[in-house]
Amino acid sequence: MTDAPFTADVYAERREKLRARLREAGRTALLVSHAANRYYLSGFELHDSQCNESSGMLLISTTGRDKLLTDPRFLDAARRLWPEEDIFIYSGQKNAQVREYLAKIHPGPLAFESRAMSVDTCEQLRETLTLNASHGLVEGLRRIKEPEEIARMDRSCALNEKVMLAAPDILLPGRSEGEAAWRLEQLFRDLGASELAFSPIVAVNSNAALPHAEPGRDQITEECMVLVDMGARLGDYNSDQTRTFWVGNRPPDHFRKALELTQMAQAKAIAAIRPGLPISETYRTARGYFEEFGVEKAFTHALGHGIGLETHEAPSLSPIAEGVLEPGMVITVEPGLYYPEWGGIRWEHMVVVTEDGCRILGQDGA
């Protein structure tokens, strides 16, 4: 079953919340160019086709009508979501046309998403416009998920869980990492995913010590370890899970011990998650457990990250993270231990912060 699109009222309410944030920040308008932010505010084009192309931008103003700027390829799609009188179509000299249009409808200073706009575009727009760098205005809204966003991630995570449960039947001796990854991707599609959240990681033995290993030609063998990290996009929202498997019946002591420590560190971190907890404390809880057993140096990354329209979004569960956990945040909890000589262990759940603690997603038949 495919989730229905959000209604226009949902996007309008999000833009009203953004307007309030703009006023608080002393801004009169924001030029939105980050794809996920553009989609969150309008329902228009979740992805840009590639890093050097854009599907368009939004102009969100505190005083006037919001505008959608795009090129002729997307006119029909834009008309389905946006009043045609508030659509600006550019072609050819895109930046010059955008610059002229913005100067006409909003001659004052504009905030722009400095982490999403190229230097080239910024320099060309600044020839006649006053642009002020900004970050986090939309991302601050996206940190707290709406109930329907959480429901969609629950379903996405439940789909992911089904694939993980089927993974042992796919991780067969003689198959390469690449072949296993492809079969897992096929299963995601068969179960209804619109696409993958990211390219699957299937890593055998020492390759699993690379947190972002790429599946290759190394083969699964009898009595070997395989780390699998994968996620689905369902109803536009992502899931992300990691499990580490032993193929065979005789896992060595070092594997069993590392897996046990990793799962217990995760359990302790999840048990600690609650509103008001400093975000950095989630990392310290897991690391503190590893320190009790002298293995903390093998824990080489943050404990997790926010997830939603993007696989990695705010907040990061790192030792230097600022702020506290709030109800509605959806985060991954994925401690790991990595040993280049034999491999790595990672175990990952997605949780939503609730009013009195947290809940693991995808485990209640959603």
Side-chain angles (χ1 to χ4, degrees):
M1 177 177 138
T2 302
D3 287 296
F6 286 108
T7 65
D9 289 344
V10 170
Y11 297 116
E13 183 177 350
R14 292 171 179 174
R15 294 195 298 274
E16 287 304 317
K17 290 179 180 179
L18 176 59
R19 265 185 268 281
R21 290 176 64 87
L22 286 170
R23 294 186 186 101
E24 290 172 4
R27 309 292 195 188
T28 58
L30 174 66
L31 191 59
V32 178
S33 56
H34 182 56
N37 289 346
R38 178 185 64 213
Y39 181 82
Y40 179 79
L41 295 169
S42 67
F44 179 73
E45 298 302 316
L46 176 57
H47 301 299
D48 288 331
S49 56
Q50 53 191 30
C51 64
N52 64 343
E53 289 190 14
S54 170
S55 301
M57 297 181 283
L58 299 174
L59 179 68
I60 308 299
S61 170
T62 60
T63 57
R65 296 175 66 121
D66 301 328
K67 306 295 183 180
L68 171 57
L69 293 69
T70 189
D71 70 58
R73 296 172 299 169
F74 300 99
L75 178 56
D76 287 343
R79 284 171 171 155
R80 299 181 185 188
L81 298 164
W82 212 259
E84 188 159 3
E85 61 269 25
D86 293 324
I87 299 172
F88 175 72
I89 299 297
Y90 51 77
S91 60
Q93 298 296 318
K94 166 193 167 184
N95 290 337
Q97 292 179 32
V98 168
R99 184 177 64 225
E100 182 179 346
Y101 176 70
L102 293 176
K104 183 188 304 181
I105 65 169
H106 191 89
L110 284 174
F112 75 101
E113 297 181 315
S114 56
R115 295 188 181 181
M117 183 178 290
S118 71
V119 173
D120 182 66
T121 297
C122 183
E123 288 180 345
Q124 291 189 46
L125 294 183
R126 273 183 166 156
E127 289 180 14
T128 56
L129 298 173
T130 300
L131 297 183
N132 298 317
S134 181
H135 174 69
L137 287 169
V138 184
E139 288 85 350
L141 295 174
R142 289 173 51 202
R143 284 164 67 100
I144 308 300
K145 270 53 180 185
E146 300 156 359
E148 178 57 24
E149 291 182 289
I150 294 170
R152 292 184 183 211
M153 277 188 279
D154 226 342
R155 292 190 285 273
S156 183
C157 209
L159 186 157
N160 205 334
E161 188 72 20
K162 290 179 181 179
V163 177
M164 281 296 187
L165 291 173
D169 295 328
I170 291 174
L171 304 175
L172 299 178
R175 283 185 177 161
S176 69
E177 296 170 332
E179 183 181 0
W182 172 239
R183 289 176 181 266
L184 290 167
E185 181 171 350
Q186 288 177 304
L187 185 54
F188 269 117
R189 297 284 194 167
D190 289 343
L191 291 173
S194 58
E195 59 182 302
L196 270 66
F198 52 92
S199 297
I201 296 172
V202 177
V204 170
N205 290 332
S206 61
N207 293 341
L210 305 172
H212 285 180
E214 294 184 6
R217 296 181 179 179
D218 288 10
Q219 289 193 342
I220 300 167
T221 63
E222 295 282 0
E223 307 301 333
C224 80
M225 64 166 295
V226 185
L227 183 149
V228 176
D229 187 349
M230 56 191 181
R233 186 181 294 278
L234 188 68
D236 295 324
Y237 284 81
N238 291 308
S239 59
D240 184 5
Q241 293 182 336
T242 309
R243 302 288 185 268
T244 309
F245 301 91
W246 186 264
V247 178
N249 301 311
R250 301 189 301 278
D253 289 344
H254 63 261
F255 174 89
R256 290 189 292 104
K257 183 63 174 177
L259 180 60
E260 178 184 328
L261 290 174
T262 300
Q263 290 176 325
M264 185 56 69
Q266 184 198 55
K268 287 185 174 293
I270 290 175
I273 290 173
R274 64 186 185 279
L277 181 76
I279 296 171
S280 59
E281 192 61 29
T282 59
Y283 170 87
R284 294 192 183 96
T285 298
R287 185 176 177 86
Y289 181 77
F290 286 145
E291 288 173 348
E292 292 179 26
F293 295 89
V295 298
E296 71 280 2
K297 290 182 179 179
F299 180 32
T300 58
H301 53 67
L303 180 64
H305 52 84
I307 185 170
L309 290 172
E310 297 176 285
T311 309
H312 283 207
E313 53 185 59
S316 171
L317 277 60
S318 76
I320 60 172
E322 298 179 351
V324 299
L325 295 175
E326 300 176 58
M329 286 182 172
V330 177
I331 54 179
T332 68
V333 183
E334 48 179 310
L337 295 173
Y338 304 95
Y339 302 93
E341 60 275 16
W342 62 264
I345 304 287
R346 187 163 66 251
W347 205 264
E348 179 178 17
H349 285 312
M350 285 170 51
V351 306
V352 56
V353 181
T354 62
E355 294 293 337
D356 57 359
C358 70
R359 176 174 66 84
I360 297 174
L361 295 181
Q363 298 193 343
D364 58 359

